Amino acid sequence: MADLATPFAVRTAATLRVPDVVKDGPLPLAEIARRCHAVADPLGRVLRFLVHHGMFTEPEPDVFGPNDASNALRSDLVDGPRSWLDLDGAVGRADLAFVELIEQVRGHHPAYAAAFGRSFWEDLAHNSQLSESFDTLMETKTHGIAPLVADAHDWTRYAQVADVGGGKGVLLAELLRRYPQLRGVLVDLSGPAGHATAYLREQGVLERAEVVAASFFEPLPARADAVIICDVLGDWDDEDAAQILRHCGQAMEPGGRVLIVELLPDTDRMATFTEMDLRMMVYVGGRMRDLDRTQRVAAAAGLSVEDFTPLDNGYAIIECRSAP
Ligand SMILES: C[S@@+](CC[C@H](N)C(=O)[O-])C[C@H]1O[C@@H](n2cnc3c(N)ncnc32)[C@H](O)[C@@H]1O
C-alpha cells in the first residue's frame, strides 16, 4: 500500500507511451527508447522493474514486449486509463501534488500551489496543453454521465437551460440533441468556452446554444428555467460553493430550478468517493459532500433542496428551488 515505485514506474511508461510502441510485439530497448524520446538505460531499468511487477514481458535481455497489463494502458483504448495517468496531462500532473498532502494536513499550505507555484485553475489558464488535456478528460468522464442525466429528469418542462462550468459542452449537447424544444447556454472560463463552441457545432446543436465566457464567482450573464451545475461544487470549499450556487439561483427564471449533479457517498462506492474527496482537497482545495452538507451549502445560497434523483453510477441530480 505504501510503495511509490510502482505507480511512478507505471505512469512513466504510460506517459512515454511504451504500451503503444510495443503493442505489436517485442522490440529492443534501444528502439523503444528512440521511439519514446527517452534514454535507454533508465528506461530499461523502469521496464525491467515493471516486468517483475506484472507489466510488459522481457523475452530476452533488453528486449521488451506487451502483455495484458501493458495493453490496458494503450492510447487507442476508448475510455482507457492512460490519459488520466499521463504525467504531462492535467490530472496526472495534479496527482504529483500528493507529495504536499502531509503539509496540507499539517495546515501549512494547499498542496497544488506548493507543488507547482500557482493554483490548479491558474495553471490551466497559463498552459494551453494542460487546459486542453483537462477539457478532454472531462469530456470522456461526462460522456458516461450525460445520458443518465438526460434520462433521469423531465427536461420537456423547460425552454432554456444553462450549464454553469459546463466545460466542453458534453452534457449540454446531449440535452439539446434529445430535447428539440430546448435552448441552452454554457458558461465557463475562456479556455473551455472556446472548446465548447467548436464541440457544440460538431454535435450539430450550436444554433440552439450560446457559449459565454464568464466566471461563476460573478453574477451570471445568463438566465434559464433550469440552471445545471455538474461536477463543479466538489472543486470548491463550502463558502465558494455557496457563492457559486447563489449566482446560479439568481440566474433562475421565476419558478426555475438549480440542478446540482454530483457524486454522492454510497456504501458500495466509499473507496471511490473518499479518493475523490482527497483528490479534490489536494488538486483544488475542494471537497466531496453528502446530501446533508450539500443541503446546508444550498441553504447558505438561499436555495432549498426539493428533490433528489440517484443515477446508476453513484451520481445524483439534486433539485433546488429558491428557499421560501
Ligand atoms: C470538473 S470540471 C466539470 C466540467 C463539466 N461540468 C463536466 O461535468 O464535464 C469544472 C469546470 O469548472 C470550470 N470553472 C472553474 N473555475 C471557474 C470559474 N471561476 N467560472 C466558471 N467556470 C469555472 C472549469 O473550467 C471546468 O470546466
Side-chain angles (χ1 to χ4, degrees):
M1 220 176 178
D3 155 53
L4 278 181
T6 313
F8 274 99
V10 168
R11 285 159 188 252
T12 295
T15 303
L16 294 173
R17 297 175 192 260
V18 181
D20 292 350
V21 166
V22 300
K23 72 180 165 57
D24 294 324
L27 286 175
L29 172 61
E31 179 58 16
I32 300 172
R34 190 187 68 75
R35 293 195 199 177
C36 293
H37 308 288
V39 177
D41 176 68
L43 177 61
R45 292 158 70 179
V46 168
L47 296 183
R48 202 159 298 112
F49 169 86
L50 286 173
V51 167
H52 291 285
H53 288 75
M55 181 173 282
F56 301 110
T57 58
E58 191 177 12
E60 51 185 289
D62 282 343
V63 174
F64 294 93
N67 65 3
D68 287 350
S70 70
N71 282 330
L73 289 181
R74 278 165 49 173
S75 56
D76 56 358
L77 217 63
V78 178
D79 291 349
R82 198 209 75 85
S83 49
W84 297 90
L85 303 177
D86 187 338
L87 296 167
D88 296 331
V91 171
R93 174 178 159 90
D95 282 341
L96 301 179
F98 268 95
V99 294
E100 296 291 342
L101 175 63
I102 178 69
E103 297 307 328
Q104 183 153 6
V105 172
R106 283 182 172 142
H108 292 162
H109 49 233
Y112 192 97
F116 296 115
R118 54 190 173 206
S119 77
F120 180 79
W121 302 114
E122 287 165 344
D123 227 6
L124 296 195
H126 283 87
N127 183 329
S128 60
Q129 185 203 324
L130 282 186
S131 165
E132 272 169 38
S133 80
F134 183 67
D135 292 343
T136 305
L137 287 168
M138 290 304 104
E139 177 185 353
T140 309
K141 171 209 64 93
T142 310
H143 276 306
I145 301 173
L148 302 179
V149 174
D151 282 342
H153 188 78
D154 178 11
W155 298 95
T156 58
R157 55 179 141 148
Y158 308 123
Q160 173 85 16
V161 295
D163 191 357
V164 176
K168 213 165 173 176
V170 174
L171 177 55
L172 185 60
E174 179 81 20
L175 293 174
L176 296 184
R177 260 199 317 268
R178 296 256 206 120
Y179 301 96
Q181 92 290 352
L182 272 185
R183 298 188 65 80
V185 52
L186 182 143
V187 181
D188 207 306
L189 299 172
S190 58
H195 300 149
T197 303
Y199 181 81
L200 293 165
R201 183 180 297 113
E202 257 168 51
Q203 299 299 309
V205 293
L206 188 61
E207 70 282 0
R208 284 184 288 128
E210 187 190 350
V211 176
V212 183
S215 169
F216 45 46
F217 288 112
E218 304 294 330
L220 296 172
R223 298 197 63 76
D225 308 312
V227 181
I228 307 161
I229 184 110
C230 173
D231 252 340
V232 166
L233 298 182
D235 293 339
W236 303 97
D237 65 19
D238 286 351
E239 204 179 309
D240 285 338
Q243 198 188 349
I244 296 165
L245 280 180
R246 198 168 300 117
H247 290 144
C248 291
Q250 289 162 359
M252 282 189 301
E253 293 290 4
R257 288 154 178 75
V258 172
L259 302 172
I260 302 170
V261 181
E262 278 289 335
L263 186 67
L264 288 182
D266 113 16
T267 39
D268 295 337
R269 293 190 175 88
M270 284 315 286
T272 307
F273 184 82
T274 51
E275 182 186 331
M276 279 304 293
D277 188 45
L278 277 196
R279 286 172 180 270
M280 292 302 101
M281 176 166 80
V282 164
Y283 298 177
V284 285
R287 68 181 314 132
M288 301 302 287
R289 299 179 179 83
D290 60 14
L291 190 57
D292 278 355
R293 194 167 186 130
T294 306
Q295 259 166 330
R296 288 201 297 276
V297 171
L303 297 171
S304 69
V305 172
E306 298 284 322
D307 206 353
F308 156 78
T309 311
L311 307 179
D312 284 347
N313 60 354
Y315 276 73
I317 304 176
I318 303 165
E319 187 171 333
C320 309
R321 300 195 196 178
S322 288

